Structures are given as structure tokens and as C-alpha cells.
Amino acid sequence: MPDPTAVELGLDTFGDVTRDASGQLLSDAQTIRNVVDQAVLADQVGLSFFGVGEHHRREFAISSPEIVLAAAAARTESIHLGTAVTVLSSDDPVRVYERFATLDAVSRGRAEVILGRGSFIESFPLFGYDLRDYETLFDEKLDLFSRLLEEKPVTWEGTLRAPLTAADVFPKTENGLRAWVGVGGTPESVVRAARYGYGLMLAIIGGPADRFRPFADLYRRSLTTFERAELPIGVHSPGHIADTDQQAWEEAYDGFAAMNDTIGRERGWPPYSRMRFQRDVGPEGALYVGSPETVARKIAETVKTLGAQRFDMKFSTGTISHERLLRSIELYGTKVAPLVRDMLA
């Protein structure tokens, strides 16, 4: 079991465009400013990590996470800042490394990067990539990025990017860059993360956490096979916290339903319902929505089940207002975090 004093509790957001008190959608600009304020509060209440996702569609305001994170770095002191996730497949590994090494400098060593293939595919046509190369793009670019993390001249060749010969990339970090791979639940992705030496971030957005225990076990076995040192396992799941279960459910439902139905129309999902929502917030679901006691109990059980070292709650989903998100962050840091550590101890 992880040391209860060492388990990190973090937050993730995609910069979901929210509504104001009158029900009007905020501008992208105001949403981004609100995200920076949310990061500041997360730092003030003692949370470990604040992650910002990269998207290129109307529901999410953030397409350049590193700029938002740099703004947050200037206003925070201790919290680590990173992505959730950086879509490496449609980006250039050299530029990703350069941007995060720069963020690490301005944040005084608090930068992290979580790399992913991208469950949303808008960035591929936007930046001129062929979806038929989906797997190869990620595998080759992850290989190159792992070489860049060594911060030595790189000689590398793949099939979909120009080769490098003794290329030295700057700036260098002072103490290295912490890097993870986000995984949605395929064994191949788990093994790949272990092979290249990345932390494993499990995106659990459906079903109970124990369904992912085989992936956690596979990751630890794979690290041994590849003769790598122990690396952390994290969990990313949606949630929302209010003073009572009923209040949290009422505040969260409309936003969760709107987002599920929007994405569901593109992917062929059935319409969302109250019945499904109540199942998802229950013990067998992947939503961490409720009072501090309810959410803490569910997080502690997940951490124990998977042997995880970090839990990141995706605290913004759909159009939940900025004010309610701030209250959720406050309760997460001041109430949930101490409860989780007590429960694990």
C-alpha cells in the first residue's frame, strides 16, 4: 500500500467553457482567466498538482496549455503544474520538450508533462497529420521524447519525422522533467509506458477502479522486465464536491449530462440519464461526486485497490459555474485530502 503521507492529490481541467449566473456561456478568454484563478486556489489549499488538458474544439477553451500553466506558475508557490494531456502524436517532441523545459524554469522545477495519443482527434487534421498513422505517430514520438528527456545530444530516426543527428536541445532543466503517459486501458499502452520509463496515468472515466487492477499489475511487472526502477501510478477521473451528496449531485448533473450528450452524438453513445448518473457516482462508477466524506472514501479505496501514488480529479465537466468549481477545489484541499490520508493510514 502507498505511504498515506506520500499520496499526491491533484486536479485536472480541460478548460470547459462554463456559464455565468444568468446562464450565458462565458467567453473563451474569461474561461482561461478563471482556470488560472482555480490553479491559484488549488495551490493555496495545499494540493499537489494542477493539470490542464489540450483540446481544439468549441467546448474547451485551452489549446495552448503551457501558456496557461506559465501564467499559473507566476501566481503560485508550491503546486506542480502540467498537462492532462499533451497530444504528442500531433505535436513535435522537440518543441514539446522545449516548452516544458521553459515552464520548468519559470516555475522553479514544478513542471510535469502527461503525454497521450489523444482521445479527441481534431488536432490531427488541424496540423496536417494522417489518422492512419495514429499508432505509429505516438510510438515514434514517444521514443524520441524519451531520448530528449536525457538532455544529451540526440541521434534518432523514424518513419514520419525528419531524423536528428547529434541534436542538442535547449533549455536544459535543473533537475530533469517529470513525465507520464496517459493510458485509457489497453495492455499495449501500459507496456509501452514501462518500456520507455514513464509514469503511468490511468484515465478511468467509466466503471469501477478494480477493473484497472490488471493494468496496474501489468505495469509493475513490465517495469521489472525492462529492469527499470519503480515508477508511479496515477489515476485521472471526473468529480465534483459540495457540502452534501445531494447538493453535489444537483450541481454536477446538468454539466455532466450536457458533455456526455455532446460527445455521445459524435461517438454513438446513448443519451445520458439520471439513472446512469446515479450509477456512475456510486461505488461501481467512475464519478467522484458527493460530499467530502463520500469522495474521500471513494478515492482512498481506489488508491488502495490500484496501489496508486496519485489521484487527479477532473474537477470541471461541462458548464458547472466557476464559483461552484472554486468551492469544489476548496473542499478537495481542506476536507477531502486530510480524510483520504486518515483513511489510508
Side-chain angles (χ1 to χ4, degrees):
M1 183 188 302
D3 177 356
T5 63
V7 171
E8 299 175 346
L9 294 181
L11 290 167
D12 290 336
T13 178
F14 297 165
D16 305 53
V17 178
T18 59
R19 296 188 184 277
D20 62 19
S22 69
Q24 295 296 309
L25 285 173
L26 299 178
S27 67
D28 291 342
Q30 185 59 53
T31 299
I32 290 169
R33 291 190 288 268
N34 287 348
V35 168
V36 175
D37 289 342
Q38 291 156 13
V40 171
L41 178 59
D43 184 53
Q44 292 170 347
V45 298
L47 293 170
S48 298
F49 176 78
F50 192 86
V52 176
E54 172 197 348
H55 292 83
H56 304 270
R57 51 184 293 145
R58 73 174 68 246
E59 293 85 8
F60 308 118
I62 297 173
S63 58
S64 299
E66 303 90 346
I67 297 177
V68 179
L69 294 169
R75 296 179 55 196
T76 56
E77 296 292 335
S78 301
I79 196 166
H80 278 223
L81 302 163
T83 44
V85 298
T86 291
V87 185
L88 185 64
S89 304
S90 57
D91 210 328
D92 184 86
V94 173
R95 295 294 291 140
V96 172
Y97 168 81
E98 290 173 340
R99 296 196 300 265
F100 276 90
T102 303
L103 175 64
D104 197 62
V106 299
S107 67
R108 297 185 179 273
R110 293 185 283 133
E112 300 186 16
V113 59
I114 304 178
L115 305 167
R117 292 181 296 180
S119 61
F120 292 90
I121 59 173
E122 289 82 5
S123 63
F124 288 81
L126 188 63
F127 301 126
Y129 290 96
D130 192 332
L131 277 171
R132 290 175 294 185
D133 297 325
Y134 186 80
E135 292 290 343
T136 304
L137 280 166
F138 188 65
D139 200 24
E140 289 190 356
K141 292 185 177 187
L142 193 65
D143 176 49
L144 175 54
F145 196 81
S146 67
R147 312 274 188 95
L148 295 166
L149 287 175
E150 297 173 4
E151 302 196 342
K152 300 175 182 177
V154 173
T155 296
W156 178 91
E157 185 172 356
T159 63
L160 297 173
R161 186 203 186 279
L164 297 174
T165 302
D168 213 0
V169 179
F170 302 95
K172 308 295 185 185
T173 66
E174 293 175 320
N175 295 291
L177 183 65
R178 193 181 192 189
W180 307 67
V181 169
V183 173
T186 62
E188 295 81 6
S189 296
V190 172
V191 173
R192 180 194 287 124
R195 182 170 74 246
Y196 289 121
Y198 293 93
L200 179 71
M201 184 61 66
L202 292 168
I204 304 178
I205 58 174
D210 62 9
R211 185 165 64 91
F212 287 77
R213 185 183 300 173
F215 297 112
D217 293 341
L218 173 62
Y219 178 68
R220 284 185 277 262
R221 290 197 307 272
S222 299
L223 288 174
T224 300
T225 299
F226 296 123
E227 299 182 339
R228 291 197 174 274
E230 181 179 349
L231 291 168
I233 295 173
V235 175
H236 157 104
S237 287
H240 180 69
I241 307 161
D243 292 290
T244 68
D245 286 345
Q246 191 65 43
Q247 181 184 351
W249 297 340
E250 289 304 314
E251 288 181 0
Y253 177 75
D254 287 343
F256 276 81
M259 186 59 66
N260 273 269
D261 286 345
T262 297
I263 300 171
R265 283 191 291 271
E266 301 170 5
R267 302 187 181 184
W269 300 348
Y272 205 64
S273 66
R274 284 276 182 180
M275 183 177 297
R276 180 181 161 191
F277 178 75
Q278 290 304 141
R279 183 179 68 248
D280 289 345
V281 301
E284 296 301 306
L287 301 188
Y288 293 70
V289 178
S291 68
E293 294 78 12
T294 295
V295 172
R297 193 177 306 113
K298 196 168 183 178
I299 291 174
E301 189 61 35
T302 295
V303 168
K304 288 189 289 185
T305 296
L306 299 177
Q309 286 76 38
R310 188 159 91 194
F311 181 91
D312 290 342
M313 185 178 75
K314 200 269 181 178
F315 70 97
S316 64
T317 298
T319 54
I320 302 173
S321 73
H322 175 54
E323 291 71 26
R324 288 175 173 175
L325 295 179
L326 290 175
R327 178 60 175 162
S328 182
I329 294 169
E330 179 186 4
L331 291 171
Y332 188 51
T334 61
K335 301 291 187 182
V336 173
L339 284 169
V340 168
R341 294 189 172 95
D342 286 347
M343 291 173 183
L344 291 175

